[in-house]
Each structure stands twice: as structure tokens, then as C-alpha cells.
């Protein structure tokens, strides 16, 4: 069955791989599933056809036959459940890998997103300069704790899993701020994720979209 995901027609990051279709592309590459991409403009994302797939008018979405999903955590989990390569077979190890998926999205990603909000959406507010260090400290607290848990291991719990895929994806969004560099083991962990052939294919695919010449038609 053909898998179709949606992605930005032009990502605001210009192809740095920070838009969330990259993590879905990465998961698809890890499990060896071919996929098609439907590119959507910001305007189209808010129109009824896209809202029927994604109630919040965002990307990415995932369609496979009569199944339509949104939320990257759900999409990655769906792929990991159906295909080998992203979740261990042992029930307890699987539970722990799923725990890391939630930790990435529920515990690590929120303060990182908050930083983007402060920097880009709230920078003209009079309280923005005061709020910035507070949000940065919240990120540092979490990254410090995560670095302690990772220790000198390659991945968070044994073999690479969907938990690592989401954690690396989330940490990548903190890299532009420079905060990640203060945690060399986490920076190395992210680099290990980026070195995976499946990540490279996913990154190149989204880059190709974002660096192509605009069509004249
Ligand atoms: N929690 C959602 C977040 C989706 C999301 O924020 N998508 C961004 C792109 S990375 C988006 O579509 N932004 C445009 C908008 O919200 O209008 C997920 O993980 O899928």
C-alpha cells in the first residue's frame, strides 16, 4: 500500500531538517518503507482538505490506504509497531523504548519549543529578555539529566530504537541555540543519529525539496 506523507512546500528552516517531516522520513527509511510526499503551502495547510487529515492544520500527515494519521509520535509508533527495526521484541525493552519516545516528545521537546517561541514569536514583548534565560535554564536542566542517563552509552537503552530517533530529532532543534554544545555526550549522540544511513537519506530528501528551483508554472 502506498504511503504518502505531507511536508512543507518551503520549510521555514530552508532545509536544515528541523521540520517534523524529517523524523517521519527517517523512520520510514529505518524500516525500509518507500513513501511519497505531498508538498503543502501554509495556505493549503489551513484549508478543509488538509484539515480533514490534520485537525490543527500542520504537517506532517501520514496516509496509508484508508488510514490517516497525524502527530509524529503516533506516526513513528505506527511504523515501529508494523515493521522491524525501531522497537525491540522483548516486551520490557519495548516498553522502555516507548517510554523514551514519550520522554522525547513530552519532557525534552516542550522547553526547546518554548525557546523558539521566546526567540521568534515573543521577541518584541517587553518581558522577552527576562524570560529567555529562564527558558534556557529549563532546557539545561533537562539536557543535564538526559546526559547523566545516557552516560557513555551509544543509545538510550541498548540498541537504537524509535526512542532514539525521536530524541535525536528533538535535540537537533536545540542545536541552533548553541545549548547542546555544552553537553558533549549529547552532541555526540545526535551526531551518531545523523550518521545513520537512514537519517542521511531522509535529510537529503527534505533538502532536495527545499533547495529546488521554484517552478515557473
Ligand atoms: N506535535 C505535532 C507538531 C506538528 C507541528 O508543529 N508541525 C509544524 C511543522 S514542524 C507545522 O506544521 N507548523 C505550521 C503551523 O503550525 O501552522 C507533531 O509532532 O506532529
Amino acid at each position: 500500500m502506498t504511503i504518502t506523507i505531507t511536508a512543507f512546500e518551503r520549510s521555514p528552516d530552508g532545509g536544515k531538517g528541523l521540520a517534523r517531516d524529517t523524523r517521519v522520513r527517517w523512520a520510514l527509511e529505518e524500516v525500509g518503507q518507500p513513501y511519497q510526499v505531498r508538498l503543502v503551502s501554509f495556505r493549503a495547510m489551513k484549508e478543509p482538505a488538509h484539515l480533514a487529515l490534520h485537525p490543527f492544520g500542520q504537517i506532517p500527515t501520514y496516509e496509508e490506504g484508508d488510514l490517516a494519521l497525524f502527530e509524529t509520535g503516533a506516526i513513528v509508533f505506527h511504523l515501529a509497531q508494523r515493521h522491524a527495526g525501531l522497537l525491540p521484541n522483548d516486551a520490557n525493552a519495548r516498553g522502555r523504548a516507548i517510554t523514551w519516545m514519550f520522554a522525547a516528545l513530552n519532557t525534552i521537546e516542550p522547553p526547546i519549543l518554548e525557546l523558539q517561541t521566546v526567540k521568534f514569536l515573543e521577541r518584541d514583548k517587553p518581558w522577552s529578555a527576562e524570560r529567555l534565560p529562564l527558558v534556557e535554564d529549563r532546557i539545561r536542566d533537562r539536557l543535564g539529566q538526559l546526559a547523566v542517563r545516557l552516560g557513555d552509552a551509544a543509545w538510550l537503552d541498548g540498541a537504537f530504537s524509535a526512542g532514539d530517533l525521536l530524541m535525536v530529532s528533538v535535540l537537533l532543534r536545540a542545536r541552533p541555540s548553541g545549548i547542546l554544545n555544552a553537553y558533549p555526550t549529547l552532541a555526540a549522540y545526535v551526531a551518531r543519529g545523523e550518521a545513520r544511513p537512514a537519517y542521511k537519506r531522509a535529510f537529503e530528501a527534505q533538502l532536495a525539496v527545499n533547495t529546488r528551483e521554484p517552478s515557473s508554472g
Side-chain angles (χ1 to χ4, degrees), residues 14-136:
K16 293 194 177 71
L18 302 181
R20 289 176 180 79
D21 57 293
T22 305
R23 53 182 84 163
V24 171
R25 292 174 187 268
W26 185 7
L28 285 159
E29 293 287 354
E30 289 284 352
V31 301
Q33 288 299 301
Y35 63 99
Q36 295 178 349
V37 184
R38 191 168 63 251
L39 302 175
V40 288
S41 65
F42 271 92
R43 201 190 59 205
M45 282 162 56
K46 311 300 173 195
E47 286 174 356
H50 189 76
L51 288 170
L53 291 173
H54 197 309
F56 310 120
Q58 297 180 315
I59 61 98
T61 57
Y62 176 100
E63 291 159 85
E64 183 186 7
D66 57 9
L67 174 69
L69 298 175
F70 59 95
E71 286 295 337
T72 50
I75 298 168
V76 171
F77 187 46
H78 169 78
L79 290 168
Q81 275 185 305
R82 274 160 185 76
H83 307 283
L86 284 175
L87 283 175
N89 290 329
D90 172 76
N92 286 353
R94 202 176 176 90
R96 290 194 301 272
I98 294 167
T99 300
W100 281 116
M101 294 177 69
F102 278 88
L105 300 175
N106 279 1
T107 303
I108 304 293
E109 190 168 44
I112 293 172
L113 294 181
E114 210 45 29
L115 182 63
Q116 289 169 351
T117 304
V118 180
K119 282 191 167 173
F120 302 112
L121 301 180
E122 298 175 348
R123 71 178 156 206
D124 56 341
K125 303 284 186 238
W127 36 261
S128 178
E130 237 177 306
R131 185 160 130 77
L132 183 64
L134 303 179
V135 174
E136 287 175 337

Side-chain angles (χ1 to χ4, degrees), residues 188-206:
Y189 169 68
V190 168
R192 269 192 297 282
E194 289 177 295
R196 292 180 71 84
Y199 178 84
K200 288 186 184 168
R201 288 194 295 273
F203 183 88
E204 289 305 324
Q206 66 77 37

